[in-house]
Amino acid sequence: MLLLALDTATPAVTVALHDGSQVLAESRQVDARRHGELLLPAVDRVLAEAGRTLDAVSDIVVGVGPGPYTGLRVGLVTAATFGAALDVPVHGLCSLDGLAYASGLTEPFVVATDARRKEVYWARYGDARTRLTEPAVDRPADLADQMAGVPAVGAGALLYASVFTGVRREGPEHQSAGALAALAAEKLAAGTEFLPAQPLYLRRPDAQVPANYKVVTPT
């Protein structure tokens, strides 16, 4: 087994190789505006560091979000392209699950990432491997009562610490493809189903056609 994991659902552009037992190499660069520019060089870098070639990859693992439209699509399209070119399966995982797994927490907690527009993507977990709710997007103020004092990790929880008062500042802030790959390796070993490698947006993209757009055709 050689898993190539990647995620671009958060400001972190992250890639890792995992052999089913351990992470062989990992790259993570935090830059919300350069996902397309940074991803492929990161793949080359982890392959070189691990001393492996792309044709040795047996499975692709990709974070499906939730995340902003443009950045999320970079990772998903790249994963689909690698899967088709190598003729290997592409496994989708909720990006929040990767952050939860990286936390290592054994108690109930919340993962929250920055969704922009003064909102967060979030979900509740029973422990680092067990998600209890479907991912959601909300304004932090609307969550204040139910989040007070609850352990929380992620950039969204750090950004709105006045709402996520139980935020663990030592916890993971951004996604780690190494954690995503390790979680995928466990799921593959257990025969657990994955998500489709399709984007989990939760809301409409920022760029939309104006409501009163007038089509002009030549006469």
Side-chain angles (χ1 to χ4, degrees), residues 6-7 9 60-66 72-73 75-77 79-80 88-95 97 131 134-135 180 187 192-201:
L6 51 94
D7 194 301
I60 308 293
V61 179
V62 62
V64 300
L72 182 55
R73 285 186 64 85
L76 286 164
V77 169
V88 299
V90 180
H91 310 291
L93 282 175
C94 174
S95 296
D97 291 357
R131 178 156 45 84
E134 292 300 313
L180 203 69
K187 292 173 74 70
T192 307
E193 290 188 4
F194 288 82
L195 296 174
Q198 300 294 326
L200 185 61
Y201 292 130

Side-chain angles (χ1 to χ4, degrees), residues 39-105:
L39 183 57
L40 290 179
V43 172
D44 289 339
R45 191 161 52 250
V46 298
L47 286 167
E49 183 179 334
R52 303 297 181 92
T53 56
L54 188 60
D55 59 6
V57 170
S58 64
D59 299 80
I60 308 293
V61 179
V62 62
V64 300
Y69 182 87
T70 303
L72 182 55
R73 285 186 64 85
V74 170
L76 286 164
V77 169
T78 302
T81 301
F82 280 146
L86 300 172
D87 193 24
V88 299
V90 180
H91 310 291
L93 282 175
C94 174
S95 296
L96 299 178
D97 291 357
L99 281 159
Y101 186 88
S103 76
L105 291 173

Side-chain angles (χ1 to χ4, degrees), residues 72-152:
L72 182 55
R73 285 186 64 85
V74 170
L76 286 164
V77 169
T78 302
T81 301
F82 280 146
L86 300 172
D87 193 24
V88 299
V90 180
H91 310 291
L93 282 175
C94 174
S95 296
L96 299 178
D97 291 357
L99 281 159
Y101 186 88
S103 76
L105 291 173
T106 58
E107 61 188 298
F109 67 102
V110 170
V111 173
T113 61
D114 182 13
R116 305 175 187 173
R117 302 187 194 174
K118 298 181 179 180
E119 294 178 329
V120 292
Y121 297 119
W122 68 279
R124 287 185 177 272
Y125 291 79
D127 55 45
R129 293 173 172 82
T130 309
R131 178 156 45 84
L132 303 177
T133 65
E134 292 300 313
V137 58
D138 288 288
R139 291 184 177 274
D142 296 337
L143 303 172
D145 291 343
Q146 56 183 305
M147 296 301 169
V150 177

